[in-house]
Amino acid sequence: MSVQIEGFEELADQLEELSTSLDVEQDIPMGELFTDGFMATNTDFDSISEFFEESRWTVESEEDFQKIDEDEFDRYVDKHTGFSSWEAMLSAAAREWLTRQIEL
């Protein structure tokens, strides 16, 4: 007896295409990574903009973001999200982004 499961070939093709595009360093805009839906579900805020606007830091550039003390920022994330750290929040958003890219 055999079971035939369809769709793996298309999924493999999509993963290969995505993998190829990710081999080149790619900057994903925060608004695309942290969608409003992600933020509303996982944080006290409706958008990534509101998340930063309500923080004690002014973040208008990558340089501004890099200057934030990691431990302080992790405490802010822990207090206002369902995640214990920025890294955990970033990983969850990246997983959701990746899922959207492979169009399951």
Side-chain angles (χ1 to χ4, degrees):
M1 180 173 155
S2 69
V3 176
Q4 186 174 9
I5 300 174
E6 296 181 16
F8 282 123
E9 193 169 305
E10 288 128 19
L11 178 60
D13 290 344
Q14 288 176 339
L15 287 173
E16 184 176 337
E17 182 180 316
L18 184 59
S19 174
T20 301
S21 71
L22 291 177
D23 284 342
V24 176
E25 189 172 312
Q26 181 176 359
D27 287 329
I28 303 166
M30 280 209 177
E32 186 177 328
L33 189 61
F34 296 99
T35 64
D36 291 350
F38 177 88
M39 295 303 291
T41 300
N42 296 290
T43 75
D44 296 339
F45 308 102
D46 293 326
S47 69
I48 192 68
S49 297
E50 184 182 353
F51 174 78
F52 283 112
E53 287 167 7
E54 295 296 322
S55 76
R56 60 186 219 88
W57 302 280
T58 300
V59 179
E60 296 176 348
S61 68
E62 171 103 15
E63 186 176 282
D64 291 340
F65 183 73
Q66 295 299 325
K67 291 178 183 177
I68 299 172
D69 179 78
E70 189 175 329
D71 291 333
E72 287 181 43
F73 196 61
D74 282 345
R75 283 191 292 276
Y76 178 73
V77 169
D78 186 42
K79 182 177 180 181
H80 295 285
T81 76
F83 304 101
S84 60
S85 68
W86 172 248
E87 190 64 37
M89 183 173 162
L90 181 61
S91 292
R95 280 191 304 276
E96 285 192 16
W97 179 85
L98 186 59
T99 300
R100 289 190 306 274
Q101 300 311 302
I102 51 178
E103 302 172 349
L104 287 177

